[in-house]
Amino acid sequence: MTLAVGLCAMVLAVFFGLASAIGRKSENYFIRLLIETYTVVIRGVPELIIILLVYYGVPILVASVSKSLGYPVELNLNPFVAGFITIGFIYGAFAAEVFRGAFAAVATGEVEAAHSIGMNKKQTFLRVELPQALRYSLPGLANIWMVLIKATSLISVISLYELINNARIAVNNTSLSFTFYFAVSLIFLLITIISIWGQNKLENHNRRTGFEP
Amino acid sequence: MIEFFKNWIEVVNFPELMSGFKLTVELTIISLLIGFVLAVVLAIATESRYKIFNIPSKIFVFYFRGTPLLVQLFLIYFGSGQFRDELEAVGLWQYFREEYFCALLGLTLNTGAYTAEIFRKAIQNVSSDQIEAAKAIGMSRFNIFRRVVWPRAFRFSLPSYGNEAVFLMQATSLVSLITLIDLTQSARNVIKVNFAYFEVFVAAALIYLVFSSLIVFIFKRIEKYLPNI
């Protein structure tokens, strides 16, 4: 269950990160302001508070807004959904930083070459910048994945059926608390080791052409 | 508009939030300071030639970076209960049964491990010509570290270290799950009374934001104050 939430959240985080990185280039001042605020807020506020805020606050917000519109809507957030949306949202801000660096690392010569052929902005982006940026962003994203997987342990706070809660049940039954929590930590370590191995494989796959500009 | 703000300030029980905030600040500062010392020791130990320092510190850093802070806190707080008899024999149980000590221990070890990685990368980044020059003059290894390596490494690590300090502040909100009354927990206490989820959590988030900006500001000042080596 930890892995399921982690994977969904990672996908969401990549989405938010890409959206933010693209949005930063926008000529519209308000979009850039929104994204800056997003990044600053997420970096300054603890994840726990954001999780609690979303899980408890959003249903209330939705209820009060829709009531004033005359259309009462009762929203009960499933902890799984609330959890992975929140974590994806939070780590999207970090992913935005990673993508910002990755886009900056794409050789500008290539972008100019694409313009000179006559590709418009959207085409250059899709065909030239995006693939290369994705290659450069992989180490940063792998880092985010590590932190993300550990953050999923926080969702146990909103009582999601999850690794830590299982340990808690075992503890309550047997009072061998240290053993079980230590086992939980070993499981997380295992996930970390597997992630490191996967990350190495991905990076080697990226280097396979042997051309490093 | 003003009415909205007045209503908000009334609803949010700021004095109670502030007393929780006081604990958050305490935990952050103390863990940061002790973690700093621990991190320097660990960074040096991880780079050492002697296996007896090398291996335990590498394992320590890998463990504390690879597992979530929540699990570590639970491990120390709830887990020490399993070893109560052994700890009583050593006389340490009275510390381990207090939440404050457990939280401080967990936070310090965790931030020590992350900071040790930062310092290790910074130490490695010091250019070797300087170290060779110092060796050529005949400085002892300790002197080389103290006068050549460490100032440069510390200056190099400051941006990442500031980042890590902000993460530490965020992490202190986790101690609310170990029944300590920090800002997050006092926010929840206020909500138990008046059920204003949104207002109170937004207020708590704002307080955290201000505090984290303060931390970033302090680190930037330290960076400016140090000579640019």
Side-chain angles (χ1 to χ4, degrees), chain A residues 42-46 48-49 52-53 56 60 150 153-154 157 168 176-179 181-182 185 188-189 192, chain B residues 63 65-68 70 74-75 78-79 82-83 114 163 166-167 169-170 173-174 176-177 197 201 208 212:
Chain A
I42 303 278
R43 297 190 71 201
V45 175
L48 195 58
I49 293 238
L52 290 172
L53 189 64
Y56 292 118
I60 296 182
K150 286 176 241 161
S153 65
L154 284 183
V157 171
R168 232 186 233 176
L176 277 178
S177 44
F178 188 86
T179 319
Y181 282 124
F182 192 65
S185 63
F188 271 106
L189 266 183
T192 305
Chain B
Y63 178 75
R65 293 185 77 210
T67 53
L70 192 62
F74 277 4
L75 203 56
F78 293 122
Q82 186 181 338
F83 294 126
Y114 277 98
N163 233 356
V166 172
F167 280 139
M169 177 213 71
Q170 288 191 358
S173 77
L174 287 183
S176 66
L177 300 173
Y197 284 101
F201 276 136
Y208 272 117
S212 73

Side-chain angles (χ1 to χ4, degrees), chain B:
Chain B
M1 206 41 196
I2 310 279
E3 269 304 313
F4 178 70
F5 267 130
K6 279 196 192 147
N7 186 24
W8 181 64
I9 295 182
E10 268 173 31
V11 162
V12 172
N13 193 349
F14 269 109
E16 189 160 345
L17 284 185
M18 278 307 161
S19 75
F21 181 56
K22 177 161 152 292
L23 187 74
T24 300
V25 173
E26 270 178 37
L27 280 173
T28 312
I29 295 185
I30 299 181
S31 335
L32 205 59
L33 291 177
I34 305 183
F36 177 75
V37 174
L38 179 66
V40 178
V41 169
L42 273 177
I44 302 178
T46 318
E47 291 287 298
S48 133
R49 290 172 297 178
Y50 304 110
K51 287 236 171 88
I52 190 175
F53 295 133
N54 210 338
I55 297 187
S57 69
K58 276 193 181 157
I59 296 181
F60 180 89
V61 168
F62 182 65
Y63 178 75
F64 277 95
R65 293 185 77 210
T67 53
L69 177 64
L70 192 62
V71 173
Q72 289 160 18
L73 285 176
F74 277 4
L75 203 56
I76 295 181
Y77 182 58
F78 293 122
S80 57
Q82 186 181 338
F83 294 126
R84 178 175 177 163
D85 299 327
E86 290 84 346
L87 284 174
E88 254 176 23
V90 183
L92 282 177
W93 172 245
Q94 85 226 64
Y95 294 118
F96 272 96
R97 64 188 255 208
E98 276 189 44
E99 305 104 18
Y100 192 72
F101 173 79
C102 292
L104 211 55
L105 186 67
L107 281 172
T108 312
L109 292 177
N110 192 54
T111 184
Y114 277 98
T115 317
E117 264 303 290
I118 296 179
F119 286 158
R120 193 177 67 100
K121 286 195 187 142
I123 291 178
Q124 279 180 340
N125 206 297
V126 174
S127 74
S128 48
D129 341 330
Q130 315 244 0
I131 306 178
E132 279 174 19
K135 274 190 193 159
I137 308 180
M139 279 180 156
S140 68
R141 282 182 65 107
F142 177 67
N143 261 343
I144 295 182
F145 183 76
R146 187 172 67 99
R147 290 176 147 206
V148 176
V149 174
W150 180 243
R152 290 167 172 79
F154 185 59
R155 189 109 193 351
F156 185 75
S157 67
L158 269 178
S160 326
Y161 191 30
N163 233 356
E164 171 56 32
V166 172
F167 280 139
L168 178 63
M169 177 213 71
Q170 288 191 358
T172 56
S173 77
L174 287 183
V175 309
S176 66
L177 300 173
I178 307 201
T179 71
L180 268 175
I181 311 220
D182 74 317
L183 183 54
T184 315
Q185 186 61 27
S186 59
R188 282 161 123 182
N189 285 345
V190 170
I191 288 179
K192 276 185 201 159
V193 171
N194 63 18
F195 288 101
Y197 284 101
F198 211 66
E199 288 88 340
V200 177
F201 276 136
V202 167
L206 278 177
I207 297 179
Y208 272 117
L209 255 182
V210 168
F211 187 42
S212 73
S213 314
L214 188 66
I215 293 180
V216 170
F217 178 70
I218 291 179
F219 271 89
K220 286 206 171 137
R221 290 289 276 176
I222 295 180
E223 229 183 297
K224 281 209 182 109
Y225 174 73
L226 290 180
N228 198 350
I229 308 180

